[in-house]
Amino acid sequence: MRNIKYIAVHCTATSQKTSISAIQSYWKNQLGWKMPGYHFIILPDGTEAQLLPIEETSNGVKGFNSNLINIAYLGGVDSNNKPFDNRTPNQKITLLKLLKKYKNQFPTAIIQGHKDFPNVSKACPSFDAKKEYKNI
């Protein structure tokens, strides 16, 4: 098992109608990644799509991937591609469930947003995950 130090919260920075396969294609064909960017993507209806076992390393936060679990919700931008917290109630429920599950499994792991890591100049996940989930 990897030494998990962080649980990173992401948004896909796409429309909530974007398909997971389109996101995966972008990672592979545009970015040249061999592994997905996230372990999980949470769909608007609250369905969690696991893209990679947590024992494997995903590409969510450059320089930290070997020590974290990456969880994203589908969305995070408005119709003009500006950062916007558009999580549905079901996405919020599923995200909280996953964060509690992995915080229980890795009690010393720090939950924070992608934007909270050093040298990250993104708004991802378009809300303050560190503040929202500080009591987990």
Side-chain angles (χ1 to χ4, degrees):
M1 178 57 75
R2 297 183 305 132
N3 179 23
I4 302 299
K5 294 182 181 175
Y6 297 96
I7 303 168
V9 179
H10 299 265
C11 65
T12 58
T14 63
S15 158
Q16 288 191 318
K17 296 177 181 175
T18 303
S19 69
I20 290 174
S21 61
I23 294 167
Q24 290 172 311
S25 176
Y26 172 76
W27 291 332
K28 181 180 179 185
N29 299 320
Q30 302 297 313
L31 301 179
W33 292 355
K34 293 184 179 10
M35 302 302 273
Y38 318 118
H39 292 92
F40 297 92
I41 292 180
I42 303 168
L43 303 175
D45 69 0
T47 301
E48 64 182 69
Q50 186 165 6
L51 306 182
L52 189 68
I54 64 163
E55 295 80 20
E56 295 184 38
T57 302
S58 61
N59 282 319
V61 182
K62 187 176 182 177
F64 291 86
N65 291 315
S66 63
N67 297 103
L68 61 80
I69 296 170
N70 290 296
I71 303 172
Y73 70 95
L74 191 64
V77 293
D78 66 15
S79 59
N80 296 314
N81 272 344
K82 300 286 183 215
F84 182 68
D85 180 7
N86 58 1
R87 291 174 293 161
T88 65
N90 287 334
Q91 283 175 312
K92 289 180 180 183
I93 290 167
T94 302
L95 179 55
L96 183 59
K97 180 187 82 162
L98 285 170
L99 293 174
K100 285 181 176 180
K101 174 182 177 178
Y102 291 115
K103 180 67 171 176
N104 186 52
Q105 188 173 344
F106 304 101
T108 60
I110 297 166
I111 297 171
Q112 63 185 37
H114 187 180
K115 68 181 179 181
D116 298 312
F117 286 87
N119 303 314
V120 173
S121 59
K122 297 180 177 190
C124 177
S126 299
F127 70 97
D128 190 346
K130 216 172 184 176
K131 181 179 177 185
E132 187 165 328
Y133 300 118
K134 70 179 184 221
N135 294 324
I136 294 180

